[in-house]
Amino acid sequence: MTVDFYSFAKGIVKGVLTPLYRIQTIGIEQFPKEGGVLLCANHISNLDPPVIGITAPRPIRFMAKEELFRAPVVKTLVKSLHAFPVKRGMNDRQALRTGLEVLKQGEVLGIFPEGTRSKDGRLKKALPGVGFFALRTEAAVVPCAIVGPYRPFVPLKVVYGAPIDMAPLRARKASPEEAADYIMDHIRRLLEEHQRA
């Protein structure tokens, strides 16, 4: 992967999706400018990764389902866009190690705590993996809410919240499940606030 290709792809996708879905980005000034960031968002569409990718101010490395890495052409494209494979529904130790390394190197790790898309738009329970990353590193944990339907010319909001203070949970050695629920609560609040707006 080269930053040039990522920037090139981002520019093209942004030029297509932003006017099509009238994307509004909110709270971007709260996004940490440096250091490891665990970016946690709700998941309502296959378009969520590119939409977050074009609105976030820094390159993102996403965990992507391993099925995408089986076709050579798709594998090359997905890898060039920072993604790395994860086995869904399993304790994928290699993916966990890779994710930890991404955060420790001061990069942005994008993750959908629910693990899969919500077909009705309602938040599902978070998997413990997001809590594992939040507790095992000092990375900033940034909640993100994607609000609105993916319908052409109907405004879609991407809302970035302030980094979540995970220090109390880290200090008392909270479980990954508890940390995951805590993060999802913050995403839920963002959703509720901006669904009403």
Side-chain angles (χ1 to χ4, degrees):
M1 197 292 300
T2 64
V3 173
D4 287 342
F5 180 78
Y6 185 94
S7 299
F8 173 73
K10 179 175 179 176
I12 291 178
V13 174
K14 187 171 186 175
V16 173
L17 295 185
T18 299
L20 179 62
Y21 294 111
R22 297 176 61 186
I23 297 172
Q24 303 169 4
T25 305
I26 300 168
I28 200 66
E29 69 281 354
Q30 302 182 96
F31 202 101
K33 294 180 172 57
E34 56 186 22
V37 174
L38 179 61
L39 177 58
C40 309
N42 61 314
H43 198 8
I44 58 175
S45 167
N46 285 327
L47 289 174
D48 293 340
V51 163
I52 292 175
I54 64 174
T55 57
R58 294 169 57 187
I60 303 171
R61 295 201 61 184
F62 281 106
M63 300 177 79
K65 58 184 180 181
E66 68 167 350
E67 292 87 343
L68 294 176
F69 292 80
R70 292 176 184 166
V73 174
V74 177
K75 175 182 178 179
T76 300
L77 177 62
V78 174
K79 287 181 70 174
S80 71
L81 294 173
H82 289 191
F84 60 94
V86 61
K87 298 175 183 175
R88 296 192 297 179
M90 302 174 67
N91 185 8
D92 188 339
R93 293 185 178 181
Q94 181 56 50
L96 292 176
R97 283 194 292 268
T98 301
L100 286 175
E101 190 60 29
V102 167
L103 294 171
K104 289 177 180 177
Q105 289 180 355
E107 298 181 80
V108 181
L109 175 64
I111 189 169
F112 298 104
E114 297 159 282
T116 187
R117 284 176 295 134
S118 170
K119 294 181 180 179
D120 61 8
R122 297 180 182 177
L123 283 183
K124 299 161 66 177
K125 186 172 178 59
L127 299 177
V130 66
F132 171 83
F133 289 126
L135 296 172
R136 289 288 296 270
T137 71
E138 294 298 317
V141 178
V142 174
C144 175
I146 301 171
V147 186
Y150 276 90
R151 290 205 298 267
F153 312 116
V154 176
L156 181 76
K157 298 178 186 176
V158 182
V159 185
Y160 293 95
I164 301 169
D165 182 9
M166 300 297 297
L169 281 78
R170 290 167 179 157
R172 62 182 172 81
K173 300 187 182 336
S175 69
E177 290 81 5
E178 185 179 354
D181 289 342
Y182 187 64
I183 292 168
M184 287 304 287
D185 282 341
H186 283 74
I187 296 174
R188 181 175 292 105
R189 287 178 213 159
L190 285 179
L191 274 171
E192 292 174 351
E193 176 186 350
H194 289 276
Q195 282 171 340
R196 292 193 302 264

